[in-house]
mmCIF file of all heavy atoms in Angstrom:
data_model
loop_
_atom_site.group_PDB
_atom_site.id
_atom_site.type_symbol
_atom_site.label_atom_id
_atom_site.label_comp_id
_atom_site.label_asym_id
_atom_site.label_seq_id
_atom_site.Cartn_x
_atom_site.Cartn_y
_atom_site.Cartn_z
ATOM 1 N N LEU A 1763 -151.156 -74.066 61.266
ATOM 2 C CA LEU A 1763 -150.136 -74.674 62.167
ATOM 3 C C LEU A 1763 -149.340 -73.625 62.946
ATOM 4 O O LEU A 1763 -148.506 -73.965 63.770
ATOM 5 C CB LEU A 1763 -149.171 -75.500 61.317
ATOM 6 C CG LEU A 1763 -149.803 -76.620 60.467
ATOM 7 C CD1 LEU A 1763 -148.826 -77.217 59.487
ATOM 8 C CD2 LEU A 1763 -150.407 -77.673 61.370
ATOM 9 N N LEU A 1764 -149.667 -72.309 62.706
ATOM 10 C CA LEU A 1764 -148.853 -71.271 63.309
ATOM 11 C C LEU A 1764 -149.510 -70.711 64.566
ATOM 12 O O LEU A 1764 -150.679 -70.722 64.756
ATOM 13 C CB LEU A 1764 -148.663 -70.136 62.315
ATOM 14 C CG LEU A 1764 -148.111 -70.488 60.929
ATOM 15 C CD1 LEU A 1764 -147.833 -69.251 60.124
ATOM 16 C CD2 LEU A 1764 -146.855 -71.350 61.072
ATOM 17 N N ALA A 1765 -148.626 -70.145 65.414
ATOM 18 C CA ALA A 1765 -149.082 -69.442 66.626
ATOM 19 C C ALA A 1765 -149.861 -68.187 66.289
ATOM 20 O O ALA A 1765 -150.762 -67.763 67.047
ATOM 21 C CB ALA A 1765 -147.885 -69.078 67.489
ATOM 22 N N ALA A 1766 -149.570 -67.546 65.151
ATOM 23 C CA ALA A 1766 -150.300 -66.368 64.720
ATOM 24 C C ALA A 1766 -150.270 -66.332 63.191
ATOM 25 O O ALA A 1766 -149.351 -66.807 62.602
ATOM 26 C CB ALA A 1766 -149.669 -65.129 65.261
ATOM 27 N N ASN A 1767 -151.353 -65.814 62.613
ATOM 28 C CA ASN A 1767 -151.331 -65.585 61.152
ATOM 29 C C ASN A 1767 -150.942 -64.172 60.827
ATOM 30 O O ASN A 1767 -151.184 -63.283 61.586
ATOM 31 C CB ASN A 1767 -152.681 -65.959 60.600
ATOM 32 C CG ASN A 1767 -152.961 -67.466 60.694
ATOM 33 O OD1 ASN A 1767 -153.830 -67.912 61.358
ATOM 34 N ND2 ASN A 1767 -152.132 -68.242 59.935
ATOM 35 N N TYR A 1768 -150.353 -63.998 59.663
ATOM 36 C CA TYR A 1768 -149.910 -62.683 59.270
ATOM 37 C C TYR A 1768 -149.768 -62.592 57.744
ATOM 38 O O TYR A 1768 -149.602 -63.618 57.068
ATOM 39 C CB TYR A 1768 -148.623 -62.273 59.987
ATOM 40 C CG TYR A 1768 -147.451 -63.196 59.681
ATOM 41 C CD1 TYR A 1768 -146.556 -62.970 58.610
ATOM 42 C CD2 TYR A 1768 -147.178 -64.279 60.494
ATOM 43 C CE1 TYR A 1768 -145.490 -63.839 58.383
ATOM 44 C CE2 TYR A 1768 -146.062 -65.145 60.275
ATOM 45 C CZ TYR A 1768 -145.283 -64.901 59.241
ATOM 46 O OH TYR A 1768 -144.183 -65.750 58.964
ATOM 47 N N ASP A 1769 -149.758 -61.359 57.234
ATOM 48 C CA ASP A 1769 -149.507 -61.153 55.836
ATOM 49 C C ASP A 1769 -148.406 -60.063 55.707
ATOM 50 O O ASP A 1769 -147.771 -59.715 56.761
ATOM 51 C CB ASP A 1769 -150.770 -60.797 55.052
ATOM 52 C CG ASP A 1769 -151.454 -59.533 55.653
ATOM 53 O OD1 ASP A 1769 -150.741 -58.797 56.330
ATOM 54 O OD2 ASP A 1769 -152.598 -59.295 55.338
ATOM 55 N N ASP A 1770 -148.215 -59.504 54.491
ATOM 56 C CA ASP A 1770 -147.128 -58.568 54.376
ATOM 57 C C ASP A 1770 -147.346 -57.240 55.113
ATOM 58 O O ASP A 1770 -146.412 -56.579 55.496
ATOM 59 C CB ASP A 1770 -146.860 -58.280 52.856
ATOM 60 C CG ASP A 1770 -148.101 -57.728 52.143
ATOM 61 O OD1 ASP A 1770 -149.211 -58.031 52.645
ATOM 62 O OD2 ASP A 1770 -147.932 -57.099 51.116
ATOM 63 N N GLU A 1771 -148.612 -56.929 55.483
ATOM 64 C CA GLU A 1771 -148.824 -55.732 56.263
ATOM 65 C C GLU A 1771 -148.578 -56.014 57.752
ATOM 66 O O GLU A 1771 -148.114 -55.138 58.479
ATOM 67 C CB GLU A 1771 -150.332 -55.333 56.118
ATOM 68 C CG GLU A 1771 -150.722 -54.830 54.733
ATOM 69 C CD GLU A 1771 -149.943 -53.581 54.319
ATOM 70 O OE1 GLU A 1771 -149.640 -52.778 55.241
ATOM 71 O OE2 GLU A 1771 -149.585 -53.402 53.151
ATOM 72 N N THR A 1772 -148.921 -57.236 58.186
ATOM 73 C CA THR A 1772 -148.857 -57.479 59.649
ATOM 74 C C THR A 1772 -147.693 -58.370 60.063
ATOM 75 O O THR A 1772 -147.672 -58.884 61.180
ATOM 76 C CB THR A 1772 -150.186 -58.190 60.085
ATOM 77 O OG1 THR A 1772 -150.331 -59.400 59.250
ATOM 78 C CG2 THR A 1772 -151.375 -57.282 59.879
ATOM 79 N N VAL A 1773 -146.732 -58.467 59.140
ATOM 80 C CA VAL A 1773 -145.631 -59.419 59.403
ATOM 81 C C VAL A 1773 -144.838 -59.119 60.669
ATOM 82 O O VAL A 1773 -144.457 -60.027 61.366
ATOM 83 C CB VAL A 1773 -144.711 -59.508 58.122
ATOM 84 C CG1 VAL A 1773 -144.138 -58.156 57.748
ATOM 85 C CG2 VAL A 1773 -143.555 -60.468 58.417
ATOM 86 N N ALA A 1774 -144.621 -57.851 60.970
ATOM 87 C CA ALA A 1774 -143.792 -57.507 62.152
ATOM 88 C C ALA A 1774 -144.405 -58.131 63.433
ATOM 89 O O ALA A 1774 -143.745 -58.819 64.164
ATOM 90 C CB ALA A 1774 -143.667 -56.014 62.269
ATOM 91 N N VAL A 1775 -145.715 -57.937 63.608
ATOM 92 C CA VAL A 1775 -146.362 -58.466 64.818
ATOM 93 C C VAL A 1775 -146.524 -59.959 64.742
ATOM 94 O O VAL A 1775 -146.239 -60.680 65.677
ATOM 95 C CB VAL A 1775 -147.759 -57.807 64.942
ATOM 96 C CG1 VAL A 1775 -148.474 -58.314 66.204
ATOM 97 C CG2 VAL A 1775 -147.635 -56.269 65.011
ATOM 98 N N GLY A 1776 -146.973 -60.450 63.583
ATOM 99 C CA GLY A 1776 -147.224 -61.889 63.409
ATOM 100 C C GLY A 1776 -145.957 -62.723 63.579
ATOM 101 O O GLY A 1776 -145.977 -63.723 64.258
ATOM 102 N N LYS A 1777 -144.910 -62.277 62.932
ATOM 103 C CA LYS A 1777 -143.644 -63.059 63.040
ATOM 104 C C LYS A 1777 -143.131 -63.065 64.484
ATOM 105 O O LYS A 1777 -142.652 -64.072 64.940
ATOM 106 C CB LYS A 1777 -142.597 -62.538 62.036
ATOM 107 C CG LYS A 1777 -141.374 -63.411 62.056
ATOM 108 C CD LYS A 1777 -140.389 -63.039 60.972
ATOM 109 C CE LYS A 1777 -140.652 -63.756 59.664
ATOM 110 N NZ LYS A 1777 -140.444 -65.197 59.779
ATOM 111 N N ALA A 1778 -143.272 -61.919 65.133
ATOM 112 C CA ALA A 1778 -142.800 -61.889 66.556
ATOM 113 C C ALA A 1778 -143.546 -62.905 67.403
ATOM 114 O O ALA A 1778 -142.890 -63.595 68.223
ATOM 115 C CB ALA A 1778 -143.084 -60.474 67.133
ATOM 116 N N ALA A 1779 -144.811 -63.106 67.178
ATOM 117 C CA ALA A 1779 -145.565 -64.108 67.953
ATOM 118 C C ALA A 1779 -145.106 -65.526 67.577
ATOM 119 O O ALA A 1779 -144.911 -66.425 68.430
ATOM 120 C CB ALA A 1779 -147.097 -63.984 67.660
ATOM 121 N N CYS A 1780 -144.867 -65.744 66.284
ATOM 122 C CA CYS A 1780 -144.431 -67.108 65.892
ATOM 123 C C CYS A 1780 -143.040 -67.370 66.347
ATOM 124 O O CYS A 1780 -142.668 -68.493 66.718
ATOM 125 C CB CYS A 1780 -144.463 -67.228 64.311
ATOM 126 S SG CYS A 1780 -146.121 -67.165 63.683
ATOM 127 N N LYS A 1781 -142.188 -66.292 66.416
ATOM 128 C CA LYS A 1781 -140.839 -66.449 66.869
ATOM 129 C C LYS A 1781 -140.829 -66.819 68.350
ATOM 130 O O LYS A 1781 -140.099 -67.730 68.777
ATOM 131 C CB LYS A 1781 -140.132 -65.143 66.576
ATOM 132 C CG LYS A 1781 -138.668 -65.089 67.024
ATOM 133 C CD LYS A 1781 -137.998 -63.873 66.471
ATOM 134 C CE LYS A 1781 -136.614 -63.682 66.996
ATOM 135 N NZ LYS A 1781 -135.943 -62.534 66.335
ATOM 136 N N ALA A 1782 -141.574 -66.103 69.109
ATOM 137 C CA ALA A 1782 -141.655 -66.393 70.575
ATOM 138 C C ALA A 1782 -142.088 -67.829 70.816
ATOM 139 O O ALA A 1782 -141.542 -68.571 71.637
ATOM 140 C CB ALA A 1782 -142.577 -65.387 71.310
ATOM 141 N N ALA A 1783 -143.073 -68.260 70.047
ATOM 142 C CA ALA A 1783 -143.595 -69.636 70.218
ATOM 143 C C ALA A 1783 -142.488 -70.646 69.862
ATOM 144 O O ALA A 1783 -142.370 -71.685 70.566
ATOM 145 C CB ALA A 1783 -144.785 -69.856 69.299
ATOM 146 N N LEU A 1784 -141.705 -70.324 68.852
ATOM 147 C CA LEU A 1784 -140.667 -71.227 68.434
ATOM 148 C C LEU A 1784 -139.547 -71.302 69.487
ATOM 149 O O LEU A 1784 -139.020 -72.390 69.847
ATOM 150 C CB LEU A 1784 -140.095 -70.781 67.090
ATOM 151 C CG LEU A 1784 -139.140 -71.734 66.335
ATOM 152 C CD1 LEU A 1784 -139.858 -73.030 65.992
ATOM 153 C CD2 LEU A 1784 -138.616 -71.058 65.034
ATOM 154 N N GLN A 1785 -139.180 -70.140 70.014
ATOM 155 C CA GLN A 1785 -138.156 -70.115 71.094
ATOM 156 C C GLN A 1785 -138.617 -70.914 72.293
ATOM 157 O O GLN A 1785 -137.849 -71.643 72.883
ATOM 158 C CB GLN A 1785 -137.821 -68.666 71.474
ATOM 159 C CG GLN A 1785 -137.041 -67.923 70.394
ATOM 160 C CD GLN A 1785 -136.933 -66.450 70.594
ATOM 161 O OE1 GLN A 1785 -137.880 -65.768 71.019
ATOM 162 N NE2 GLN A 1785 -135.768 -65.841 70.296
ATOM 163 N N LYS A 1786 -139.907 -70.757 72.630
ATOM 164 C CA LYS A 1786 -140.441 -71.479 73.729
ATOM 165 C C LYS A 1786 -140.424 -73.000 73.511
ATOM 166 O O LYS A 1786 -139.988 -73.773 74.346
ATOM 167 C CB LYS A 1786 -141.904 -71.033 73.912
ATOM 168 C CG LYS A 1786 -142.520 -71.363 75.236
ATOM 169 C CD LYS A 1786 -143.980 -70.893 75.173
ATOM 170 C CE LYS A 1786 -144.712 -71.279 76.445
ATOM 171 N NZ LYS A 1786 -144.453 -70.270 77.520
ATOM 172 N N ARG A 1787 -140.814 -73.381 72.234
ATOM 173 C CA ARG A 1787 -140.804 -74.792 71.865
ATOM 174 C C ARG A 1787 -139.485 -75.456 72.060
ATOM 175 O O ARG A 1787 -139.365 -76.581 72.429
ATOM 176 C CB ARG A 1787 -141.257 -74.829 70.389
ATOM 177 C CG ARG A 1787 -140.931 -76.050 69.582
ATOM 178 C CD ARG A 1787 -141.948 -77.166 69.821
ATOM 179 N NE ARG A 1787 -141.768 -78.322 68.954
ATOM 180 C CZ ARG A 1787 -140.773 -79.163 68.952
ATOM 181 N NH1 ARG A 1787 -139.737 -78.971 69.740
ATOM 182 N NH2 ARG A 1787 -140.742 -80.174 68.085
ATOM 183 N N TYR A 1788 -138.432 -74.650 71.818
ATOM 184 C CA TYR A 1788 -137.044 -75.251 71.919
ATOM 185 C C TYR A 1788 -136.341 -74.867 73.268
ATOM 186 O O TYR A 1788 -135.202 -75.165 73.421
ATOM 187 C CB TYR A 1788 -136.214 -74.823 70.723
ATOM 188 C CG TYR A 1788 -136.452 -75.660 69.502
ATOM 189 C CD1 TYR A 1788 -137.218 -75.158 68.449
ATOM 190 C CD2 TYR A 1788 -135.994 -76.921 69.408
ATOM 191 C CE1 TYR A 1788 -137.509 -75.963 67.359
ATOM 192 C CE2 TYR A 1788 -136.231 -77.761 68.312
ATOM 193 C CZ TYR A 1788 -136.982 -77.217 67.281
ATOM 194 O OH TYR A 1788 -137.260 -78.034 66.199
ATOM 195 N N GLY A 1789 -137.095 -74.186 74.120
ATOM 196 C CA GLY A 1789 -136.474 -73.803 75.399
ATOM 197 C C GLY A 1789 -135.302 -72.832 75.250
ATOM 198 O O GLY A 1789 -134.404 -72.819 76.106
ATOM 199 N N LEU A 1790 -135.345 -72.007 74.171
ATOM 200 C CA LEU A 1790 -134.311 -70.978 73.937
ATOM 201 C C LEU A 1790 -134.766 -69.704 74.594
ATOM 202 O O LEU A 1790 -135.983 -69.453 74.753
ATOM 203 C CB LEU A 1790 -134.056 -70.785 72.492
ATOM 204 C CG LEU A 1790 -133.572 -71.979 71.737
ATOM 205 C CD1 LEU A 1790 -133.560 -71.704 70.198
ATOM 206 C CD2 LEU A 1790 -132.229 -72.448 72.165
ATOM 207 N N PRO A 1791 -133.843 -68.830 75.045
ATOM 208 C CA PRO A 1791 -134.223 -67.567 75.630
ATOM 209 C C PRO A 1791 -135.228 -66.827 74.694
ATOM 210 O O PRO A 1791 -134.939 -66.666 73.499
ATOM 211 C CB PRO A 1791 -132.897 -66.817 75.772
ATOM 212 C CG PRO A 1791 -131.884 -67.886 75.746
ATOM 213 C CD PRO A 1791 -132.379 -68.985 74.979
ATOM 214 N N GLU A 1792 -136.318 -66.380 75.241
ATOM 215 C CA GLU A 1792 -137.348 -65.713 74.400
ATOM 216 C C GLU A 1792 -137.015 -64.228 74.244
ATOM 217 O O GLU A 1792 -137.660 -63.361 74.832
ATOM 218 C CB GLU A 1792 -138.708 -65.915 75.025
ATOM 219 C CG GLU A 1792 -139.246 -67.327 74.849
ATOM 220 C CD GLU A 1792 -140.489 -67.655 75.605
ATOM 221 O OE1 GLU A 1792 -141.430 -66.813 75.563
ATOM 222 O OE2 GLU A 1792 -140.512 -68.680 76.318
#
Side-chain angles (χ1 to χ4, degrees):
L1763 304 170
L1764 307 185
N1767 289 114
Y1768 59 90
D1769 59 18
D1770 57 337
E1771 293 298 325
T1772 55
V1773 55
V1775 180
K1777 184 172 273 295
C1780 293
K1781 180 169 173 175
L1784 191 62
Q1785 286 168 323
K1786 196 183 177 83
R1787 158 82 172 67
Y1788 280 103
L1790 300 173
E1792 287 171 47

